[in-house]
Amino acid sequence: MSLVGSLCNSYFYILQDIEDVIMRAKEVGINSVISVTEEANDFERVIHLSKSYPGVVAPCLGIHPIQCWGSQEQRSVRLQDLDSALPLFQKYRDEIVAVGEVNYRAHFSIG
């Protein structure tokens, strides 16, 4: 049986031991991973990673519904966040395997 890891967020590219991670994944039957972006500025890195590991890392471009992780300004994604992403979707349309993390999650304060 051949497995695919499907939620390898874009931070997969910062792993210091990525070669070891890929080797260990293959040892347990995971032959490829889908690396999902969360912001437009991650697109180029994930594309580069997929070119460094062809057939192993498959790029999935997307915009996470919550932006500014880890900061006081965490907020819901806005239409303007897609402005920088749309040209990159077009540029890499022949290289991406999926579009993901594209949705809207509103934050409401009640009371």
Side-chain angles (χ1 to χ4, degrees):
M1 177 191 300
S2 179
L3 301 173
V4 175
S6 65
L7 190 57
C8 300
N9 284 18
S10 57
Y11 300 106
F12 186 64
Y13 67 82
I14 64 170
L15 295 174
Q16 297 294 326
D17 60 344
I18 193 164
E19 297 273 343
D20 187 51
V21 170
I22 289 173
M23 182 185 70
R24 286 184 287 140
K26 286 184 175 186
E27 287 173 0
V28 297
I30 299 172
N31 294 317
S32 61
V33 297
I34 299 172
S35 186
V36 183
T37 62
E38 294 183 358
E39 298 177 351
N41 61 3
D42 293 331
F43 286 14
E44 301 283 346
R45 287 179 236 167
V46 169
I47 293 295
H48 175 74
L49 189 61
S50 72
K51 290 180 179 181
S52 297
Y53 299 94
V56 176
V57 176
C60 173
L61 304 184
I63 302 294
H64 196 277
I66 299 176
Q67 296 291 294
C68 303
W69 278 105
S71 74
Q72 295 282 339
E73 297 94 37
Q74 247 186 43
R75 60 176 174 75
S76 295
V77 69
R78 300 180 299 227
L79 284 176
Q80 299 91 304
D81 294 318
L82 293 174
D83 290 344
S84 60
L86 293 176
L88 294 169
F89 281 116
Q90 185 66 21
K91 179 179 179 181
Y92 295 114
R93 71 180 182 267
D94 294 332
E95 297 175 54
I96 61 175
V97 299
V99 174
E101 291 288 357
V102 180
N103 58 45
Y104 178 76
R105 183 180 301 162
H107 290 245
F108 298 99
S109 177
I110 300 175

